[in-house]
Structures are given as C-alpha cells and as structure tokens.
Amino acid sequence: MATMETGIGAPVLRKEDERFLTGGACFGDDIQTDGVLAAVVLRSPVAHAEIRSVDAEAARSAPGVKLVLLAVDLEAHGVQPNPSYSTTPPFDVGRLDGGDAADLSQYPLARNRVRYAGEPIAFVVADTVEEAQNAAELIEIDYADLPVVMEIEDALAPSAEQLWPDAPGNVTFDWETGAAAASEAAFATAAHVSRMRVENNRVVIAFMEPRAAVANWDQDADRYTLQVGCQSAHRMRAGLATILGVEEAKIHVVVPDTGGGFGARGGVYPEFPVALLAARLLNRTVKWTESRSEAFLADTQSRDHVFHSDWALDAEGRFLGVRVRGDWRHGAYLGSRSMWVMTHYISQILGGPYRIPAGHLVLRGIATNTTPMDALRGIGRLESNYVLERLIDQAAAEIGADPVTLRRQNLIASEDMPWRMIGGATVTSGAFADNLDRALMLADPRGIAARRARASTEGRLHGFGVAIYTENNGSTPTEFAEVAVDGAGKVTAMVGTQDFGMGHATMYSQILSQRLGIAFEDVSIVFGDTDRVRRGVGSFGSRSARLGGSAAVLGAEKVIERGRDIASDLLEAASTDIEFADGRYTIAGTDRSVALSEVAARAEELGDPLSEEADYDADGEVVSNGVHVCEVSIDPALGSVRLDSYVIVADVGRLVNPLIVAGQMHGGATQGIGQALQERIAYDRDSGQTLTGSFMDYNVPKADDLPVFKLAFNEVIEAENPLGVKGAGECATTGAPAAVMNAVADALRRAGAVPVDMPATPERVWRALRVAGSV
C-alpha cells in the first residue's frame, strides 16, 4: 500500500530516471525498424522570394533516392495548409473594426513564395541520410528575390513590402481587452503617470532533443502511424487529419520519450504530414530527424514584442490604472491557435496581484520575414507580468518611493478573494503579502547596505530587484483518465496528458497509490498513444496535475465505488456497510475484509474487468503566484552581470511531489534568467539571415551562470479541484525576467545610467554606463 514516503506530498525520486540514466530511453531518433528510409528537408536559403521554378529531376535519379516531394506533389494528393486560426469561439481573434484576422496559413512545403529563411521546400527520401542530403543539394531552385521585412518598424513603414494581401500595412490582427473609457478616466485623475517602452526579446526554444518523426503506412488497414514527440497525441492526430484530409480514425499517433516541449511541441510542424504522405506513397517506414542547425531556423520561436505602457497613481501611491499597447512580431505565418494563445494568456492577468480599478490592452500582430512563432513556457503571462513589474519599479523611481512598499500597499488581500482581475482572470486563493514577507526574509534585506558597500569596495555596482507574479493556468479545462485494477493488484492508468520530461509517471503513481492503497511500484501510467488512451487534451498551460491528476482521482473513485458492489457480494454484506481504506474493503465495525486485488480478480472472473473512465471538467482556470527577489552585481569595466542571490517563493497549491516541483522552479527560473541576460535571436536586417544560428552564437545559461536558488513554497490549497493544486510548470519562468531586470535597472540607476532592455548583455550594460559617464 501507499506510505507517507510515496503518497501525495512525498519527495519521491522519479521512477522514470533509472531508465533514462541507464540508456533505456527511446527518443524519436532512437526508433529503429527494418527497412526504414531516411528523409531530409531542403529549406529556403533566402528570407523572401518568389519561386520561379524547381527542378528536382537530378535529385530523383540520384543514388539511393526513393522519393522527392514538392508542393505540387502534396497538392495532387489533397494535402491542405495548416490553418492559421479558428473562427470558432473562443478561439476567434480578429480586428477592432470587426473584420477577420489575416489568413497566414502555412502550406507544408512552400508553394510560389518563401517567406523566411529555413522554410521547407522539398522533402527527399532515400536509403540513407547521406544519400538524401546529397540528392537535396542537386535540386535547383530559381528564386526572384523580394525585399525583406525584418523589424517591426520596417513592417509598419508606409513603403514596406506587403507580405500578405489581407494584412494591410503588415498588421495581421488588432485586438483589445479591458475598459478603454474607464482607463482614460483613471488617467485623467492621476497625480502621477509613468510611461515605459520595453522590448520582449525573441528567443529560441532549444529543446534538449531536436524534433524527429517516424512515419508508417499500413496498406491493409488503410491507416497511418506517426511516432513523434509532441505535447498531445490526440491534438496531433486531429491536426494531421485536417492537413491530410482524412478521418482521425485513419491516424495512429504514438509519442516516444521526448526531450522537452515548453509549448513549442504543441502544434503540427510541416515535416510531419509530409513524412506520412511519403510513407504511404512508398509503403515504407520513413524517418526524419532534425539537425540542431535546422532547429534554429525551423522550430517555432517565441516572445518578440514591443510594449508601450502607462501606469497611473494617485498622490498616495495607489494604483489607478494601466494602459498597454503591444506589437507582436509573430513572423511569416501564424500557427494554429497561436493568436488565441497569445491574446488569451497576455490579457487574463492584466493587473496582476494588485488592486487596479481600470486597465486597457491593445495588441497587434505584425508579419515579418522571420521564423513563425508559437508558445513557450509562460507565454503571455511572462509578458504581462514583465510589463507591470518593470512599470512599478519605474514609477517608484520617479516618485521617490520604495518599490517594495509601493507594491505592498496595493496588493490584493486574501479577504478580497475571489478577485476578478481587470484582464478577466479570477483569483480564488492566494496570500500575496505573505509570499512577499517570506521572500524578503530569505533575501535578507537588512543586509543590503553591507552587501552594497562590499560590492563597491570590489569596484562593482550592486542592484536589488523584486517581482511579484501571477499566472493563470489550465486552459481547456477538461481532461480524461481511465483507471484499471487487475487481479494481481496492479494499477494501470491511461491519461490524456503528455509527459515530455516532467515526471508524470511518478506524479500519477503517487496520486493513485495513495487513493487506492496500492504500492507505488504497482502503478503504471500510459500516455501518448491514441489507440490505448481513448481521448485526451494534452499538457500545456501548466494543466497536468490539476486537470489530469483530478481526472485520475475521479477515475479511482469510480473504481472504488464499482468495486464496493463486488466486495459486498464477496463479503455477503450490504454495499452501504462496506468501507474502503488502505486498499481493502471492510464491513464497518468488523475485521472482515477483502483486498482491492481480490475484488479486481472477481471482476475478471465475471468477464468485466475493474476499469473506469473519468473526465474532469473544471469551471475555468486557476492562478498560481509567487515572488522572485534577485540581487546582482555588475563589473562596470566589462558590463558583465553576476547573479549574487536569487530567491523564489511560489504558491502552486498542494505539492504532489516537492522534489519535482523544485526542479520545475529551478529550470523555469533558469529559462527566464536566460532571456533576461543572455538570449536573443538576431537577424541581418538587409538579408533576413539568422545571425544566431548555433550555440556558438546563441547563449543559453550554463550552471556557472546561476547562483544557488533559495526556494520556498507557500501551499495555499486551491479548493476548486480535489487535489488542491495549481499550475507549477511555467510560473518560475513568468516571474524571473522582471526580477532580474529590476535588479539590473536598480544598479544602473544608482550609477546614473538609463536601464536597458532584455537581454542585459555585457555590451548593452557597458554602453549604458559609458553614455552616463560611469566608465
């Protein structure tokens, strides 16, 4: 049975790790089948051009080549574009004038025009990767170069090249939320207004495992199988069915071990339906594996905004209103639902943890000749929190207030809940002031003066930054689980969420072992197989524990209730007299009992195994929250920023596994720190070429860039779900950039310099100090 060491709340070591650490994992490129063919993708070397002609004859006759596919071949077989958006509420996003957003659907292989460097043009299948690569080099393409549009200001210029006919001025959509009139009224009465322009730098996803796909066609069953790393097997199947024009039942999706998702494995990439079509045409298995160089061009990227924001305060420092106008450089195309994902997540928590009576947000989509965008850990929430928290520090500096005190006096109190934010999210639980107190205690603010003096004696600048974040999580508020118990007392759960490195097998085992009274080791979890799991939504938006875990709880309860009737027969007692605890059914007030395994064995004998399905349907989203506190020191001669201390206090509700959640906090904060200090995709403005196309040029954080995190949890139970949990996977990423950049800004202001935008690279920091005459 479950014990205190393996149930909910126990820091159990991940049961997956032994397999991963001893070479037992099977990622996409590890999949080996007899007779498998290798595929490579020929990509556009230019960012914007008309395709006059493509000559693939030499490639088709090259040694080992089995197939070369171009857009015209896909069209002949009925392949459709990946739709850029849905017109079905709530996923419809349009224009302020009531019109539809521009249709930026991407065809799997470019037809007539390429719009970014790296866009797929041809798919070459051969006996070996080397033969496919050699053949791809033989394909001759006649391009007619077109002007490139790279930066937001380039795209909006009156003379700019128009990238899409239904995107005048290269604006693909414009959208608003909040109350414009109320916001204007608030600003009209303000004693002080702070204004700020901030950039949210474009970053790559940098999965540990580059993407791969293994495609198969079963001619007898008239059915495709795709083995592919993704965040939802069922959504992958639905997307592929739309593009290939077949029923979902004709596609079987299996998800192997997957090295990271972060939101960017949520969609259907162009290579996936093309690989399936190739497998059908050849009646052979086809495997495609992306190179790391391709990943920098072809994987969706994220962030990339410019925000102009205003903050209104009264004479006592109370927040009155906020206005945000944002431009999102989403690239050449728009992936399915990406508009909705961005607008939904950036808007809901507008206002954050503060009592702000009015707010208004306007967001525009801007088409450019850059790699398409999609979700990344913390999408929308990071942007909204970053703008708010930077503005608060800016306002504090302008009015001479302490930034911590200014925040504290405006925080939503626990007794104010449920509190509806001006963006629409409802906070039902939280202890914002308590979080702040705990974080400051760990950060030791009384020692700041001494640490600042010590930094000064070392010739360094010292900065201190705080950021309070909120994060709505759990969109698409439904999930599926099927729980089965066999006669040997083994439990198998089929769940609709998807693991790609988060430890789901461990988490679900803890939940089910405790609820069913079964040993942790006797629980097996199945996910990522559309044949074995009847339905499912997947993992994104920090939803798995809350929605998937709750579905598993409901499934377990249904198993217990059904087993109660069988136990009553075995014990010859009324079912109302049967109690269940610790894996056994007992007649109340007696010592007569039967084990759950015995009940399951009886169900098998009756020909109706003990298995129950459950769908957990939530009312909406919940809001996780917390505080980050960062201290930095800067070498003014080099401009280099050193993280000296980093504190995280997080409220993610009840912790199912504190060890796993701590790992999420460390990894999430590291991604946010990387964006703040190091990471940025750069393009050549004239040619559209990527200048940061490898890890030699693109700087992700390493272990020696980071301090030892000081981490604490404030477990404010969320009564909305049976586990009492909130989302945990993204919130540390959401909170980190603002905390780091507020600390950097504090150090620069103290040196008389103007704060810089992300990333605060040594060059940017050094130049800011030089302009200020501080170096």
Side-chain angles (χ1 to χ4, degrees), residues 186-187 189-194 311-322 354-358 392 395 399 401 405-411:
F187 275 84
T189 64
H192 180 82
V193 174
S194 288
W311 195 259
L313 303 88
D314 70 11
E316 284 72 45
R318 287 187 291 266
F319 299 159
L320 300 178
V322 60
Y354 305 106
R355 293 189 302 272
I356 304 179
I392 292 173
I399 66 176
T405 303
L406 189 61
R407 286 176 170 85
R408 188 187 299 279
Q409 78 176 79
N410 286 281
L411 283 175

mmCIF file of all heavy atoms in Angstrom, residues 186-187 189-194 311-322 354-358 392 395 399 401 405-411:
data_model
loop_
_atom_site.group_PDB
_atom_site.id
_atom_site.type_symbol
_atom_site.label_atom_id
_atom_site.label_comp_id
_atom_site.label_asym_id
_atom_site.label_seq_id
_atom_site.Cartn_x
_atom_site.Cartn_y
_atom_site.Cartn_z
ATOM 1 N N ALA A 186 -9.403 57.129 -15.373
ATOM 2 C CA ALA A 186 -8.444 56.945 -14.287
ATOM 3 C C ALA A 186 -7.194 57.793 -14.517
ATOM 4 O O ALA A 186 -6.677 58.426 -13.583
ATOM 5 C CB ALA A 186 -8.088 55.468 -14.164
ATOM 6 N N PHE A 187 -6.714 57.806 -15.740
ATOM 7 C CA PHE A 187 -5.512 58.579 -16.037
ATOM 8 C C PHE A 187 -5.771 60.077 -15.920
ATOM 9 O O PHE A 187 -4.877 60.849 -15.567
ATOM 10 C CB PHE A 187 -4.987 58.216 -17.423
ATOM 11 C CG PHE A 187 -4.104 56.996 -17.423
ATOM 12 C CD1 PHE A 187 -4.663 55.724 -17.471
ATOM 13 C CD2 PHE A 187 -2.742 57.114 -17.343
ATOM 14 C CE1 PHE A 187 -3.867 54.592 -17.459
ATOM 15 C CE2 PHE A 187 -1.925 55.989 -17.331
ATOM 16 C CZ PHE A 187 -2.488 54.725 -17.381
ATOM 17 N N THR A 189 -7.439 61.551 -13.724
ATOM 18 C CA THR A 189 -7.405 61.971 -12.313
ATOM 19 C C THR A 189 -6.073 61.660 -11.638
ATOM 20 O O THR A 189 -5.920 61.920 -10.438
ATOM 21 C CB THR A 189 -8.534 61.274 -11.532
ATOM 22 O OG1 THR A 189 -8.311 59.859 -11.533
ATOM 23 C CG2 THR A 189 -9.894 61.572 -12.169
ATOM 24 N N ALA A 190 -5.115 61.099 -12.353
ATOM 25 C CA ALA A 190 -3.868 60.628 -11.740
ATOM 26 C C ALA A 190 -2.988 61.781 -11.296
ATOM 27 O O ALA A 190 -2.877 62.811 -11.976
ATOM 28 C CB ALA A 190 -3.112 59.746 -12.721
ATOM 29 N N ALA A 191 -2.345 61.585 -10.153
ATOM 30 C CA ALA A 191 -1.343 62.545 -9.692
ATOM 31 C C ALA A 191 -0.004 62.314 -10.379
ATOM 32 O O ALA A 191 0.811 63.238 -10.491
ATOM 33 C CB ALA A 191 -1.184 62.441 -8.175
ATOM 34 N N HIS A 192 0.224 61.088 -10.813
ATOM 35 C CA HIS A 192 1.473 60.772 -11.495
ATOM 36 C C HIS A 192 1.221 59.685 -12.536
ATOM 37 O O HIS A 192 0.471 58.733 -12.282
ATOM 38 C CB HIS A 192 2.545 60.284 -10.507
ATOM 39 C CG HIS A 192 3.848 59.954 -11.181
ATOM 40 N ND1 HIS A 192 4.777 60.918 -11.500
ATOM 41 C CD2 HIS A 192 4.363 58.775 -11.612
ATOM 42 C CE1 HIS A 192 5.810 60.353 -12.093
ATOM 43 N NE2 HIS A 192 5.589 59.048 -12.173
ATOM 44 N N VAL A 193 1.847 59.809 -13.678
ATOM 45 C CA VAL A 193 1.772 58.801 -14.740
ATOM 46 C C VAL A 193 3.190 58.412 -15.135
ATOM 47 O O VAL A 193 4.005 59.287 -15.463
ATOM 48 C CB VAL A 193 0.999 59.314 -15.972
ATOM 49 C CG1 VAL A 193 1.065 58.289 -17.104
ATOM 50 C CG2 VAL A 193 -0.449 59.614 -15.616
ATOM 51 N N SER A 194 3.478 57.131 -15.075
ATOM 52 C CA SER A 194 4.770 56.620 -15.539
ATOM 53 C C SER A 194 4.579 55.999 -16.911
ATOM 54 O O SER A 194 3.586 55.304 -17.151
ATOM 55 C CB SER A 194 5.323 55.567 -14.569
ATOM 56 O OG SER A 194 5.752 56.162 -13.379
ATOM 57 N N TRP A 311 1.248 53.876 -16.532
ATOM 58 C CA TRP A 311 0.820 53.465 -15.190
ATOM 59 C C TRP A 311 0.367 54.712 -14.444
ATOM 60 O O TRP A 311 1.099 55.695 -14.353
ATOM 61 C CB TRP A 311 2.014 52.832 -14.473
ATOM 62 C CG TRP A 311 1.731 52.039 -13.239
ATOM 63 C CD1 TRP A 311 1.892 52.449 -11.948
ATOM 64 C CD2 TRP A 311 1.277 50.700 -13.173
ATOM 65 N NE1 TRP A 311 1.563 51.442 -11.077
ATOM 66 C CE2 TRP A 311 1.182 50.346 -11.810
ATOM 67 C CE3 TRP A 311 0.931 49.748 -14.130
ATOM 68 C CZ2 TRP A 311 0.764 49.101 -11.375
ATOM 69 C CZ3 TRP A 311 0.514 48.506 -13.715
ATOM 70 C CH2 TRP A 311 0.431 48.185 -12.352
ATOM 71 N N ALA A 312 -0.855 54.685 -13.915
ATOM 72 C CA ALA A 312 -1.416 55.845 -13.232
ATOM 73 C C ALA A 312 -1.474 55.604 -11.731
ATOM 74 O O ALA A 312 -1.901 54.537 -11.281
ATOM 75 C CB ALA A 312 -2.814 56.142 -13.763
ATOM 76 N N LEU A 313 -1.051 56.602 -10.945
ATOM 77 C CA LEU A 313 -1.066 56.531 -9.485
ATOM 78 C C LEU A 313 -1.695 57.800 -8.929
ATOM 79 O O LEU A 313 -1.606 58.883 -9.539
ATOM 80 C CB LEU A 313 0.345 56.384 -8.927
ATOM 81 C CG LEU A 313 1.210 55.217 -9.370
ATOM 82 C CD1 LEU A 313 1.999 55.554 -10.624
ATOM 83 C CD2 LEU A 313 2.175 54.824 -8.244
ATOM 84 N N ASP A 314 -2.290 57.677 -7.737
ATOM 85 C CA ASP A 314 -2.767 58.880 -7.075
ATOM 86 C C ASP A 314 -1.661 59.442 -6.183
ATOM 87 O O ASP A 314 -0.530 58.908 -6.142
ATOM 88 C CB ASP A 314 -4.075 58.609 -6.317
ATOM 89 C CG ASP A 314 -3.892 57.719 -5.082
ATOM 90 O OD1 ASP A 314 -2.740 57.456 -4.671
ATOM 91 O OD2 ASP A 314 -4.921 57.283 -4.527
ATOM 92 N N ALA A 315 -1.972 60.479 -5.435
ATOM 93 C CA ALA A 315 -0.945 61.162 -4.644
ATOM 94 C C ALA A 315 -0.407 60.309 -3.510
ATOM 95 O O ALA A 315 0.704 60.541 -3.015
ATOM 96 C CB ALA A 315 -1.524 62.464 -4.085
ATOM 97 N N GLU A 316 -1.182 59.290 -3.095
ATOM 98 C CA GLU A 316 -0.737 58.402 -2.017
ATOM 99 C C GLU A 316 -0.063 57.141 -2.546
ATOM 100 O O GLU A 316 0.274 56.240 -1.769
ATOM 101 C CB GLU A 316 -1.928 57.998 -1.141
ATOM 102 C CG GLU A 316 -2.416 59.078 -0.192
ATOM 103 C CD GLU A 316 -3.134 60.188 -0.927
ATOM 104 O OE1 GLU A 316 -3.966 59.873 -1.807
ATOM 105 O OE2 GLU A 316 -2.849 61.369 -0.653
ATOM 106 N N GLY A 317 0.128 57.050 -3.835
ATOM 107 C CA GLY A 317 0.790 55.892 -4.402
ATOM 108 C C GLY A 317 -0.135 54.731 -4.716
ATOM 109 O O GLY A 317 0.339 53.632 -5.014
ATOM 110 N N ARG A 318 -1.452 54.959 -4.656
ATOM 111 C CA ARG A 318 -2.385 53.894 -5.015
ATOM 112 C C ARG A 318 -2.468 53.779 -6.531
ATOM 113 O O ARG A 318 -2.492 54.790 -7.238
ATOM 114 C CB ARG A 318 -3.767 54.160 -4.405
ATOM 115 C CG ARG A 318 -3.843 53.925 -2.904
ATOM 116 C CD ARG A 318 -5.270 54.041 -2.410
ATOM 117 N NE ARG A 318 -5.744 55.420 -2.490
ATOM 118 C CZ ARG A 318 -5.696 56.289 -1.489
ATOM 119 N NH1 ARG A 318 -5.200 55.916 -0.313
ATOM 120 N NH2 ARG A 318 -6.145 57.526 -1.631
ATOM 121 N N PHE A 319 -2.528 52.541 -7.005
ATOM 122 C CA PHE A 319 -2.606 52.298 -8.431
ATOM 123 C C PHE A 319 -4.017 52.604 -8.924
ATOM 124 O O PHE A 319 -5.014 52.137 -8.343
ATOM 125 C CB PHE A 319 -2.266 50.846 -8.753
ATOM 126 C CG PHE A 319 -0.866 50.428 -8.339
ATOM 127 C CD1 PHE A 319 -0.559 49.083 -8.158
ATOM 128 C CD2 PHE A 319 0.127 51.366 -8.139
ATOM 129 C CE1 PHE A 319 0.713 48.693 -7.791
ATOM 130 C CE2 PHE A 319 1.410 50.987 -7.764
ATOM 131 C CZ PHE A 319 1.706 49.638 -7.584
ATOM 132 N N LEU A 320 -4.106 53.355 -9.993
ATOM 133 C CA LEU A 320 -5.399 53.741 -10.553
ATOM 134 C C LEU A 320 -5.715 53.049 -11.868
ATOM 135 O O LEU A 320 -6.877 52.755 -12.155
ATOM 136 C CB LEU A 320 -5.446 55.261 -10.778
ATOM 137 C CG LEU A 320 -5.264 56.136 -9.541
ATOM 138 C CD1 LEU A 320 -5.282 57.609 -9.944
ATOM 139 C CD2 LEU A 320 -6.340 55.841 -8.515
ATOM 140 N N GLY A 321 -4.702 52.816 -12.693
ATOM 141 C CA GLY A 321 -4.974 52.209 -13.983
ATOM 142 C C GLY A 321 -3.710 51.915 -14.747
ATOM 143 O O GLY A 321 -2.622 52.413 -14.429
ATOM 144 N N VAL A 322 -3.863 51.089 -15.778
ATOM 145 C CA VAL A 322 -2.743 50.716 -16.636
ATOM 146 C C VAL A 322 -3.228 50.659 -18.072
ATOM 147 O O VAL A 322 -4.354 50.223 -18.353
ATOM 148 C CB VAL A 322 -2.129 49.360 -16.197
ATOM 149 C CG1 VAL A 322 -3.153 48.238 -16.273
ATOM 150 C CG2 VAL A 322 -0.901 49.023 -17.036
ATOM 151 N N TYR A 354 -2.491 43.074 -7.948
ATOM 152 C CA TYR A 354 -2.723 44.403 -7.382
ATOM 153 C C TYR A 354 -4.172 44.859 -7.548
ATOM 154 O O TYR A 354 -4.863 44.466 -8.492
ATOM 155 C CB TYR A 354 -1.783 45.421 -8.044
ATOM 156 C CG TYR A 354 -0.339 45.017 -7.955
ATOM 157 C CD1 TYR A 354 0.339 44.539 -9.080
ATOM 158 C CD2 TYR A 354 0.347 45.066 -6.752
ATOM 159 C CE1 TYR A 354 1.661 44.140 -8.995
ATOM 160 C CE2 TYR A 354 1.679 44.681 -6.657
ATOM 161 C CZ TYR A 354 2.335 44.216 -7.785
ATOM 162 O OH TYR A 354 3.639 43.814 -7.697
ATOM 163 N N ARG A 355 -4.590 45.720 -6.637
ATOM 164 C CA ARG A 355 -5.916 46.339 -6.733
ATOM 165 C C ARG A 355 -5.824 47.495 -7.726
ATOM 166 O O ARG A 355 -5.486 48.626 -7.371
ATOM 167 C CB ARG A 355 -6.366 46.847 -5.360
ATOM 168 C CG ARG A 355 -6.635 45.759 -4.335
ATOM 169 C CD ARG A 355 -7.284 46.329 -3.065
ATOM 170 N NE ARG A 355 -6.445 47.352 -2.449
ATOM 171 C CZ ARG A 355 -5.493 47.102 -1.570
ATOM 172 N NH1 ARG A 355 -5.257 45.857 -1.168
ATOM 173 N NH2 ARG A 355 -4.771 48.092 -1.053
ATOM 174 N N ILE A 356 -6.121 47.195 -8.966
ATOM 175 C CA ILE A 356 -6.109 48.198 -10.028
ATOM 176 C C ILE A 356 -7.525 48.296 -10.577
ATOM 177 O O ILE A 356 -8.041 47.326 -11.130
ATOM 178 C CB ILE A 356 -5.119 47.837 -11.151
ATOM 179 C CG1 ILE A 356 -3.707 47.637 -10.576
ATOM 180 C CG2 ILE A 356 -5.100 48.917 -12.218
ATOM 181 C CD1 ILE A 356 -2.697 47.247 -11.617
ATOM 182 N N PRO A 357 -8.170 49.427 -10.474
ATOM 183 C CA PRO A 357 -9.571 49.509 -10.882
ATOM 184 C C PRO A 357 -9.809 49.532 -12.380
ATOM 185 O O PRO A 357 -10.910 49.205 -12.832
ATOM 186 C CB PRO A 357 -10.061 50.812 -10.223
ATOM 187 C CG PRO A 357 -8.842 51.583 -9.888
ATOM 188 C CD PRO A 357 -7.723 50.632 -9.739
ATOM 189 N N ALA A 358 -8.817 49.909 -13.182
ATOM 190 C CA ALA A 358 -9.073 50.049 -14.616
ATOM 191 C C ALA A 358 -7.834 49.674 -15.410
ATOM 192 O O ALA A 358 -6.695 49.918 -14.991
ATOM 193 C CB ALA A 358 -9.484 51.486 -14.950
ATOM 194 N N ILE A 392 6.158 49.284 -12.313
ATOM 195 C CA ILE A 392 6.086 49.628 -10.890
ATOM 196 C C ILE A 392 7.429 50.158 -10.398
ATOM 197 O O ILE A 392 7.502 51.170 -9.678
ATOM 198 C CB ILE A 392 5.625 48.422 -10.063
ATOM 199 C CG1 ILE A 392 4.168 48.084 -10.382
ATOM 200 C CG2 ILE A 392 5.771 48.698 -8.570
ATOM 201 C CD1 ILE A 392 3.680 46.798 -9.744
ATOM 202 N N ALA A 395 7.882 53.621 -11.783
ATOM 203 C CA ALA A 395 7.083 54.599 -11.048
ATOM 204 C C ALA A 395 7.700 54.904 -9.687
ATOM 205 O O ALA A 395 7.745 56.071 -9.250
ATOM 206 C CB ALA A 395 5.659 54.074 -10.882
ATOM 207 N N ILE A 399 8.770 58.698 -8.387
ATOM 208 C CA ILE A 399 8.117 59.421 -7.287
ATOM 209 C C ILE A 399 8.907 59.317 -5.981
ATOM 210 O O ILE A 399 8.477 59.826 -4.949
ATOM 211 C CB ILE A 399 6.677 58.916 -7.065
ATOM 212 C CG1 ILE A 399 6.658 57.465 -6.577
ATOM 213 C CG2 ILE A 399 5.849 59.069 -8.337
ATOM 214 C CD1 ILE A 399 5.258 56.946 -6.245
ATOM 215 N N ALA A 401 9.636 56.542 -4.220
ATOM 216 C CA ALA A 401 9.051 55.568 -3.292
ATOM 217 C C ALA A 401 9.893 54.307 -3.261
ATOM 218 O O ALA A 401 10.631 53.993 -4.207
ATOM 219 C CB ALA A 401 7.623 55.233 -3.703
ATOM 220 N N THR A 405 7.583 48.736 -0.808
ATOM 221 C CA THR A 405 6.465 49.360 -0.099
ATOM 222 C C THR A 405 5.336 49.719 -1.055
ATOM 223 O O THR A 405 4.150 49.551 -0.738
ATOM 224 C CB THR A 405 6.947 50.617 0.635
ATOM 225 O OG1 THR A 405 8.006 50.267 1.531
ATOM 226 C CG2 THR A 405 5.819 51.274 1.406
ATOM 227 N N LEU A 406 5.695 50.229 -2.217
ATOM 228 C CA LEU A 406 4.680 50.586 -3.209
ATOM 229 C C LEU A 406 3.868 49.363 -3.621
ATOM 230 O O LEU A 406 2.630 49.437 -3.751
ATOM 231 C CB LEU A 406 5.361 51.213 -4.430
ATOM 232 C CG LEU A 406 4.441 51.849 -5.481
ATOM 233 C CD1 LEU A 406 3.625 52.985 -4.879
ATOM 234 C CD2 LEU A 406 5.267 52.343 -6.669
ATOM 235 N N ARG A 407 4.530 48.260 -3.803
ATOM 236 C CA ARG A 407 3.814 47.032 -4.137
ATOM 237 C C ARG A 407 2.905 46.599 -2.977
ATOM 238 O O ARG A 407 1.739 46.268 -3.180
ATOM 239 C CB ARG A 407 4.801 45.907 -4.462
ATOM 240 C CG ARG A 407 5.488 46.029 -5.808
ATOM 241 C CD ARG A 407 6.523 44.933 -6.009
ATOM 242 N NE ARG A 407 7.006 44.896 -7.378
ATOM 243 C CZ ARG A 407 7.990 45.656 -7.845
ATOM 244 N NH1 ARG A 407 8.606 46.514 -7.030
ATOM 245 N NH2 ARG A 407 8.364 45.569 -9.105
ATOM 246 N N ARG A 408 3.475 46.581 -1.795
ATOM 247 C CA ARG A 408 2.746 46.052 -0.646
ATOM 248 C C ARG A 408 1.430 46.807 -0.419
ATOM 249 O O ARG A 408 0.396 46.206 -0.129
ATOM 250 C CB ARG A 408 3.623 46.116 0.605
ATOM 251 C CG ARG A 408 2.993 45.387 1.800
ATOM 252 C CD ARG A 408 3.803 45.632 3.056
ATOM 253 N NE ARG A 408 5.170 45.153 2.946
ATOM 254 C CZ ARG A 408 5.548 43.894 3.109
ATOM 255 N NH1 ARG A 408 4.635 42.970 3.376
ATOM 256 N NH2 ARG A 408 6.821 43.544 3.008
ATOM 257 N N GLN A 409 1.444 48.112 -0.550
ATOM 258 C CA GLN A 409 0.241 48.879 -0.245
ATOM 259 C C GLN A 409 -0.861 48.667 -1.277
ATOM 260 O O GLN A 409 -2.025 49.031 -1.027
ATOM 261 C CB GLN A 409 0.570 50.369 -0.125
ATOM 262 C CG GLN A 409 0.756 51.102 -1.450
ATOM 263 C CD GLN A 409 0.994 52.587 -1.264
ATOM 264 O OE1 GLN A 409 2.097 53.018 -0.940
ATOM 265 N NE2 GLN A 409 -0.042 53.389 -1.445
ATOM 266 N N ASN A 410 -0.524 48.071 -2.414
ATOM 267 C CA ASN A 410 -1.524 47.868 -3.465
ATOM 268 C C ASN A 410 -1.908 46.410 -3.674
ATOM 269 O O ASN A 410 -2.684 46.096 -4.583
ATOM 270 C CB ASN A 410 -1.007 48.442 -4.788
ATOM 271 C CG ASN A 410 -1.040 49.955 -4.813
ATOM 272 O OD1 ASN A 410 -2.087 50.556 -5.019
ATOM 273 N ND2 ASN A 410 0.123 50.571 -4.581
ATOM 274 N N LEU A 411 -1.377 45.514 -2.861
ATOM 275 C CA LEU A 411 -1.646 44.094 -3.053
ATOM 276 C C LEU A 411 -3.092 43.726 -2.726
ATOM 277 O O LEU A 411 -3.705 44.267 -1.807
ATOM 278 C CB LEU A 411 -0.711 43.255 -2.175
ATOM 279 C CG LEU A 411 0.734 43.098 -2.642
ATOM 280 C CD1 LEU A 411 1.536 42.349 -1.583
ATOM 281 C CD2 LEU A 411 0.803 42.368 -3.980
#
